[in-house]
Amino acid sequence: MTETVIEALGRTPTTQVAIVDPRGEELSYGQFLEGAENVAGQLASLGVEPGATAATVLSNSVASAQIYIGTLGAGRAAPINPNLTHNEIVSQLRGVDARVLITTPERVAELASLPIDVPVLAVEPAATGYEITDRGQSVPVRTPESISSSDSALVLLTSGTTGAPK
């Protein structure tokens, strides 16, 4: 039997701490799961479904973990290194055919100014961790399509010795 990460999280004690970042921010399994399910629903309303990609430009944090797991509940995740140059980010976005790009509120304007044809949205604090916003407004939620074991879940862009993603 194959199950999603979100389904597996649903079997954990809801009050137990699930994730802590170096600054001390923490979420319980219940908060983490509820927030990830909300993110999956937000992504579904944005057209991210099995086989469709949501790219992120986020540093390692509780927010990036919750957005990543939420993305796996809706479609395919493509995390992009936030330290890349603008040209490298554009190249990677084109390579993964992303439906949306999610980043911090501080980087939305910067990344939206790039020659890309995807909406650039922010990840912001919410009652159960984090949510996706569009110009400060929470993105609506709808029920995501079911994920199957044959759906791809992740696009990891690596460069090896050439410096160009493969």
Side-chain angles (χ1 to χ4, degrees), residues 30-124:
Q31 292 170 313
F32 189 82
L33 176 60
E34 187 177 341
E37 289 175 328
N38 185 62
V39 166
Q42 289 182 303
L43 289 169
S45 76
L46 294 166
V48 177
E49 55 196 22
T53 304
T56 57
V57 175
L58 297 167
S59 299
N60 293 335
S61 65
V62 171
S64 64
Q66 195 170 48
I67 296 297
Y68 173 74
I69 298 300
T71 302
L72 297 179
R76 183 173 42 225
I80 295 175
N81 183 339
N83 298 318
L84 294 178
T85 66
H86 286 169
N87 288 340
E88 291 167 329
I89 290 171
V90 169
S91 175
Q92 290 198 358
L93 280 171
R94 289 182 178 147
V96 300
D97 192 28
R99 293 267 170 96
V100 297
L101 172 61
I102 303 163
T103 191
T104 61
E106 299 79 24
R107 292 199 71 183
V108 168
E110 165 200 347
L111 296 176
S113 72
L114 298 178
I116 55 176
D117 192 25
V118 297
V120 180
L121 307 170
V123 55
E124 297 195 51

Side-chain angles (χ1 to χ4, degrees), residues 98-159:
R99 293 267 170 96
V100 297
L101 172 61
I102 303 163
T103 191
T104 61
E106 299 79 24
R107 292 199 71 183
V108 168
E110 165 200 347
L111 296 176
S113 72
L114 298 178
I116 55 176
D117 192 25
V118 297
V120 180
L121 307 170
V123 55
E124 297 195 51
T128 56
Y130 294 89
E131 68 178 352
I132 300 168
T133 63
D134 184 4
R135 293 179 291 262
Q137 299 297 308
S138 183
V139 170
V141 175
R142 80 167 176 84
T143 303
E145 292 183 31
S146 295
I147 303 287
S148 77
S149 61
S150 62
D151 293 319
S152 60
L154 176 64
V155 178
L156 275 180
L157 299 159
T158 61
S159 63

Side-chain angles (χ1 to χ4, degrees), residues 16-38:
Q16 184 177 340
V17 173
I19 187 167
V20 179
D21 77 7
R23 295 181 311 263
E25 181 181 3
E26 61 183 49
L27 290 178
S28 69
Y29 278 101
Q31 292 170 313
F32 189 82
L33 176 60
E34 187 177 341
E37 289 175 328
N38 185 62

